[in-house]
C-alpha cells in the first residue's frame, strides 16, 4: 500500500492549483483515495455523464495536471492506453491516478472498470509510469457515507 499521508496544499511557486504530496508520517496510513476524492468531488458531482480523467503526478507525487480522457454513457466510455498515457508522457509524469464518476451514485467498479484498470497498470509498467490508483466517485447517501471507491484498496492492483 501507499505509506504516508496525502496532503493538499496550494502551489505557491508555480501559482498553479493544489498539488498532492505523499509524505511519510508516523502512524498515519496513506489516504490517497480520500485526497483525490476531496479534490475532484465538486468537479464531477454535477455531471450526468460518466467522465474518465487522469491526475498526472511528478516524481515527488505532486499534481502536475488533471486531464480529461473521455466521456460518454456508462457502456460506451472507451479508454485506450494510448489516450491515457499520451498526456502523461507529454507532461513527463512519473505516476498517474485514474479517476471516473458513476452518475448512478453507486461507486462499485464494473467488470469493465476492472479490466480497463488492469490493462492500464500493465501499460504503465512498460512505460515506467506508475498507475497509483483508480478512484470511482459516486454520491453520498445515508446508507453510503463514503462516496468513492479505490480499486487498489479493493485488491485489483495485484494480479
Amino acid at each position: 500500500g501507499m505509506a504516508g499521508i496525502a496532503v493538499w496544499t496550494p502551489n505557491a511557486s508555480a501559482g498553479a492549483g493544489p498539488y498532492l504530496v505523499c509524505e511519510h508520517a508516523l502512524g498515519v496510513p496513506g489516504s490517497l483515495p480520500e485526497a483525490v476524492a476531496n479534490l475532484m468531488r465538486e468537479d464531477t458531482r454535477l455531471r450526468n455523464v460518466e467522465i474518465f480523467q487522469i491526475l498526472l503526478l511528478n516524481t515527488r507525487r505532486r499534481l502536475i495536471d488533471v486531464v480529461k480522457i473521455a466521456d460518454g454513457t456508462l457502456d460506451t466510455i472507451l479508454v485506450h492506453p494510448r489516450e491515457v498515457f499520451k498526456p502523461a508522457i507529454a507532461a513527463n509524469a512519473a505516476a498517474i491516478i485514474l479517476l471516473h464518476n458513476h452518475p448512478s451514485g453507486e461507486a462499485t467498479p464494473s467488470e469493465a472498470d476492472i479490466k480497463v484498470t488492469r490493462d492500464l497498470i500493465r501499460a504503465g509498467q512498460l512505460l515506467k509510469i506508475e498507475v497509483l490508483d483508480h478512484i470511482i466517485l459516486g454520491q453520498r447517501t445515508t446508507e453510503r457515507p463514503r462516496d468513492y471507491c479505490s480499486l487498489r484498496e479493493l485488491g485489483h492492483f495485484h494480479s
Side-chain angles (χ1 to χ4, degrees):
M2 303 243 337
I5 181 170
V7 185
W8 294 101
T9 49
N11 187 343
S13 57
Y19 55 78
L20 184 69
V21 189
C22 253
E23 304 205 20
H24 289 282
L26 290 171
V28 185
S31 187
L32 188 73
E34 188 181 4
V36 172
N38 289 342
L39 180 79
M40 301 301 295
R41 182 174 287 116
E42 284 308 305
D43 176 67
T44 55
R45 194 169 54 86
L46 302 170
R47 296 178 190 273
N48 54 1
V49 293
E50 188 165 325
I51 176 167
F52 191 99
Q53 302 177 88
I54 59 169
L55 283 70
L56 306 179
L57 284 74
N58 67 14
T59 49
R60 294 170 65 194
R61 295 285 188 263
R62 293 192 176 182
L63 185 64
I64 302 169
D65 202 1
V66 178
V67 181
K68 187 177 101 169
I69 302 298
D71 58 18
T73 54
L74 288 157
D75 47 349
T76 61
I77 188 165
L78 290 170
V79 179
H80 293 283
R82 187 173 57 234
E83 305 303 323
V84 170
F85 286 99
K86 201 189 297 178
I89 292 164
N92 204 17
I96 64 172
I97 297 165
L98 313 172
L99 174 91
H100 80 281
N101 61 311
H102 280 178
S104 65
E106 174 56 66
T108 311
S110 65
E111 287 302 312
D113 293 338
I114 294 164
K115 185 191 182 307
V116 161
T117 304
R118 292 214 164 121
D119 288 350
L120 293 175
I121 290 168
R122 276 202 297 275
Q125 285 166 347
L126 290 173
L127 293 167
K128 301 284 187 280
I129 297 173
E130 192 184 355
V131 179
L132 296 179
D133 207 337
H134 185 166
I135 310 297
I136 300 172
L137 276 172
Q139 303 279 353
R140 277 201 185 97
T141 64
T142 37
E143 301 83 50
R144 198 171 56 226
R146 201 173 111 153
D147 61 348
Y148 63 90
C149 148
S150 154
L151 270 78
R152 181 180 283 280
E153 283 180 1
L154 291 176
H156 294 300
F157 275 57
H158 315 292
S159 47

